[in-house]
Amino acid sequence: MSKIKPLRDFVIEMTRWVEIENDESNLLGHGQSLLKNLVSDDCWLPDIYANPDPKNYRQNLLWCDPLERFSLVSFVWGPGQVTPIHDHTVWGLVGILRGSEVNQNYSITSDQKLEQIDEETLNPGMVASVSPTIGDIHKVSNGVPDQTSISIHLYGANIGALCRHSFDPETGATEEFISGYSNLTTPNLFDCSSDEHTR
Ligand code: FE
């Protein structure tokens, strides 16, 4: 049985921060330390939000702030699965829970072409950030060839409802998309029966 308390604690703390803070760099800082803490212990993600789909990576909504000030998503990567090159249009943080993830970052040149800036391999406990101000375009793939990898993504909006862009790797041409979510239900944060000290 997964212990839901770390997820509930994360949502409570993040809700407190978005109540009092709207500066992007401060939210990235607070979000980073909370997300680092959340992915440091792989005990809380219910199995139904951790199962891969053989066809496509899954984007499971774990929580969306009712005022859409942040959302939290489990990305589940089967072997060989990869995103298109895409942007986010809001700040975001990627924390690795299981396996590993390869993150290729891009920028747009003055003649509107895509240029890869760097590539990083993220392992469990590591957190990477994106935003329109610090660099918002990347491509993400499962870093483990024969296993499922899972990352937990925190965004500064209801990410599944935003109109964003994917990029053609050759021409840099953009296409709009709205990702939606893969799951139909979210975890029950209010069942305290798996807490160590129940009320
Ligand atoms: Fe992304």
Side-chain angles (χ1 to χ4, degrees), residues 53-125:
D53 178 318
K55 289 204 188 100
N56 231 320
Y57 59 91
R58 289 183 62 84
Q59 308 168 67
N60 300 308
L61 178 67
L62 301 178
W63 185 259
C64 184
D65 172 61
L67 302 182
E68 299 181 285
R69 296 167 296 185
F70 73 96
S71 57
L72 190 71
V73 181
S74 71
F75 271 67
V76 185
W77 308 90
Q81 292 178 346
V82 56
T83 66
I85 302 171
H86 65 276
D87 67 7
H88 309 84
T89 74
V90 291
W91 64 263
L93 291 159
V94 175
I96 310 303
L97 188 70
R98 259 174 241 176
S100 86
E101 206 174 273
V102 176
N103 189 17
Q104 294 168 284
N105 294 305
Y106 292 82
S107 66
I108 298 175
T109 61
S110 52
D111 57 350
Q112 299 301 304
K113 292 269 161 49
L114 277 176
E115 184 176 59
Q116 189 179 330
I117 311 167
D118 58 19
E119 177 176 313
E120 54 191 341
T121 298
L122 302 168
N123 293 313

